[in-house]
Amino acid sequence: MALRLGTQGDGEPIELPAEVLLRHVMALGSSGSGKTVFCKVVVEEAVCAGLPAICVDPQGDLCSLAAGTLDDDELRAQGVDPAWARALRERLEVVVFTPGSERGVPLCADPVDPGLADREGRERVQAITQTAGVVVGLLGFDLDSDDGAGLAAVVDRALSAMIERGERPSLAALSAHLDASGESGHEAYARLLDPKKLRLAQQRLARLDIGARRLLFHGGVPLDVDVLLGRDPRAPVADGKVRVAVIYVNTLHQQDDKDFFVAAIADRLYGWMLANPSPAPQLLFYIDEVAPFIPPVRKPACKEGLSLLFKQARKYGVCCVMATQNPGDVDYRAMAQFGTWALGRLTTRQDLKKVEPTLKSLAPDEADAIAGRLPALRPGELVLLSPDQLEAPVELKSRWLMTRHETWSEERIEAYADALRARFEGFTEAGDPAPDARGEPAEEPAPASGADAAHLAHGGGSEDAAEDAVETAREDAPRPAPSRAADTVPDLEPPLHAEEASEPAEDPADERPEEAPEVAPVVEAPAVEAARDPREQGLLDALADGGAASAQELADRLRISPAAARRALKRLLDGGEVRAFKQGRAQAYWAPGAGGRPDLGLPDPTLAFARHIDLAAARGLADREARTKVLGLIGEAESLAEVRPLHRLVYRLEFEEEVPRGLLAKVFGGGPDERVGHVYLHPHDLSLVTYSHERGVRFGDPGERASDVRDFDGVTELEPARPGSLDLEDADWLRRKSEDEARAAFRARFAATCTGLSHAFVPLWVLLLEGDKGTRRRVTL
């Protein structure tokens, strides 16, 4: 069956055989160019050809494949045969899965695939190495650092040893294995990683499976390709239907969690295709806005798995599709695996330069003409290159989608999934007791006796009593809370816009050998799951309200000894789960995950403006900010080294103002025009914050009336936010002018009455640009 993609400029239809999908399809183009619509056309055509699809949706655009087909009149008006839509409607079944959330059909994944043990030879070795990278990423270690590489080697060795002894691998089994290895195991792994770092990793590993993050690994349908495709008999696809599984990853709020889940999808899909090879197309795998998952320099947990999948999938009948608006943000080696390219509007010199080698290799005689055409393309217009099927590049006008193209909110996803969840209730959640030989759940371990429980609750008895004599006479050592801003931006000036600061270049990472040295075998671990110290959990629960407390107060609240509280707090401090600050003469502790900022005395909740520029758009802005050499020779060329979110404080003043009416109003009577509104002030110099779409955030005095100020009102919405969830510059709050000074500055500037004052936080992006001479520049947008 042919894929009906659209028409040429003369109206001639463009169709490609379904087999072209085996060489993979990539769509590039700036925001609004039509690349996602083109990819959804490919998905619709794949379903009509009988191919199921797994779609990774970062924004909600792909969820609307479930919105149903357009009516016949709409389709005819857009040049689409309604019979095509009827055929699609008869075949299409969309299920929206939501990792770590019950908004859609909840989906979970054990970072350690139990199917590792079923793979053989080189495939097993490769899969274990990839799994080790995923686990290291989840634990917060950088794979490119020495500690990250060393920990990856430890996890690799541990998983290999477990499988060789016939153990079924899992996250819990890995944690128990490392715990049971004890000091002898630490010594055995010492050639790979400092034992202190290994102990820290073990603590983090044990905590992975506790709290809200546990929903990533449990509490939903276990990630399995046959389940996603409706091939599992417990939740089969409806008769005659073709499943499109949309995995909406925006329910995960941390990029590391998204990286993990995409890595898990790639790993499960790779294992599935090895077990289900096919020379013909059998499955479509589509990732929209792929750039954060396979960047050119950084190494997120999913990069290696995706690279391997793109390289090997065609041999097993798995067809890959990806889209991005910034080709410069995608690893060129991954792009080289794609045989069909759909190029939409590209305007930046960096993006055009990134696609230039591909244009010259696929269409050497027309490369310059195509590059010159790309900036002028309109939405829905693309240049299609497919050397296996087309003799030359063609200009494509994408056909109209047969399904509605919308961006679904989480509320819309939840409403749609209400009727679907019951179909997946028969699945055993990951982490449930495994069935015994009779098919019944295995017995849970017996709870501790009353005496044992009391012993635990009070810290264990004599050991605590002995330490109390020393600890109670000792002042808490000062331990200032780490500030995310302290090392990078000690000052707010210049404010909010065009912020630049030179930073020293980083030393290049030391070269590391590819293979780790052999180590002695570790002690075999019993199959038990590592449990958190109940005192640590009790401390976190006590701080869950977002407040702060001293070690003595926490000990009193939990009815444990101060020594036991201090030891548990130290472990939580080392793991980053609590922080400390000086409160009077005592040391106070608080939990960042609780959402408050008691160390700053910041009100909880506070207000923040909605973010309207996503990560991909921020990267596009970075390309425009990067300096290039004049004539390729003079100056310094820059590349993007890091993008991070930031929230900056502003004062929000509410006012009432009387404005004289015009001449006719005076003639016919009537008082002045009464206006109400807001203005925003910089917290340090109290300058006026203005905003326009053309110039962005600026500072200045626009005129004599407060109501003439063009600011954030009507442009974006304020939303309640917990300060602990915002990326703050601590100095913004600590160095702010007083509220009385803010009101006085307003009165001095305007003949209006200030009726209220509050604080708000503006979302921005910090771009770190690195030059080819090693210098760094910071820009805030």
Side-chain angles (χ1 to χ4, degrees), residues 365-617:
D365 297 333
E366 299 168 276
D368 292 338
I370 294 171
R373 176 79 177 116
L374 292 179
L377 292 178
R378 292 176 296 181
E381 295 179 347
L382 304 105
V383 175
L384 185 67
L385 299 94
S386 186
D388 292 342
Q389 301 296 329
L390 301 173
E391 294 182 358
V394 298
E395 290 199 16
L396 166 71
K397 176 68 174 177
S398 290
R399 73 155 171 81
W400 204 259
L401 279 170
M402 294 184 279
T403 52
R404 297 194 178 277
H405 183 50
E406 305 166 335
T407 300
W408 276 21
S409 66
E410 291 190 16
E411 290 73 22
R412 181 77 182 274
I413 292 170
E414 185 172 23
Y416 173 76
D418 282 344
L420 293 173
R421 295 189 196 94
R423 293 173 55 185
F424 294 87
E425 289 178 352
F427 290 91
T428 302
E429 296 179 355
D432 283 352
D436 63 15
R438 299 166 298 168
E440 298 293 331
E443 269 188 65
E444 294 285 339
S449 69
D452 291 340
H455 184 75
L456 274 176
H458 289 279
S462 59
E463 180 186 354
D464 289 342
E467 292 200 24
D468 277 352
V470 179
E471 293 274 3
T472 51
R474 184 186 299 160
E475 277 286 321
D476 283 342
R479 189 190 299 272
S483 168
R484 285 172 287 184
D487 297 332
T488 54
V489 192
D491 203 319
L492 186 66
E493 317 303 341
L496 299 183
H497 65 283
E499 188 168 2
E500 301 185 3
S502 297
E503 299 189 11
E506 296 179 354
D507 293 333
D510 295 332
E511 293 293 326
R512 294 185 295 275
E514 285 191 12
E515 294 188 5
E518 292 292 330
V519 297
V522 296
V523 179
E524 183 173 354
V528 294
E529 183 175 351
R532 178 193 285 277
D533 185 323
R535 285 165 288 194
E536 293 180 22
Q537 188 59 53
L539 291 168
L540 291 175
D541 292 342
L543 296 172
D545 60 357
S550 68
Q552 182 65 56
E553 290 170 335
L554 290 167
D556 293 342
R557 204 176 301 176
L558 297 182
R559 299 177 63 189
I560 62 176
S561 71
R566 289 187 179 91
R567 286 197 302 276
L569 284 166
K570 183 180 185 306
R571 292 193 294 271
L572 292 171
L573 280 167
D574 292 340
E577 292 190 85
V578 302
R579 295 182 186 173
F581 66 100
K582 202 71 175 175
Q583 191 174 55
R585 298 183 60 185
Q587 194 86 345
Y589 299 86
W590 59 285
R597 288 300 303 268
D599 58 322
L600 298 179
L602 227 171
D604 182 16
T606 186
L607 294 172
F609 288 102
R611 186 181 292 279
H612 288 278
I613 299 178
D614 61 15
L615 177 61

Side-chain angles (χ1 to χ4, degrees), residues 665-685:
K666 291 180 179 178
V667 170
F668 291 101
D673 187 15
E674 295 184 357
R675 300 180 184 178
V676 295
H678 302 91
V679 295
Y680 299 86
L681 302 182
H682 190 282
H684 295 175
D685 60 15

Side-chain angles (χ1 to χ4, degrees), residues 620-643:
L621 293 171
D623 290 335
R624 283 183 244 163
E625 291 288 334
R627 295 168 178 164
T628 56
K629 293 184 178 181
V630 179
L631 301 178
L633 299 171
I634 304 171
E636 186 175 13
E638 292 179 324
S639 60
L640 183 62
E642 181 185 348
V643 180

Side-chain angles (χ1 to χ4, degrees), residues 36-37 40 61-62 64 67 70 401 403-407:
T36 299
V37 168
K40 290 177 74 172
D61 293 338
L62 309 187
S64 58
L70 305 177
L401 279 170
T403 52
R404 297 194 178 277
H405 183 50
E406 305 166 335
T407 300

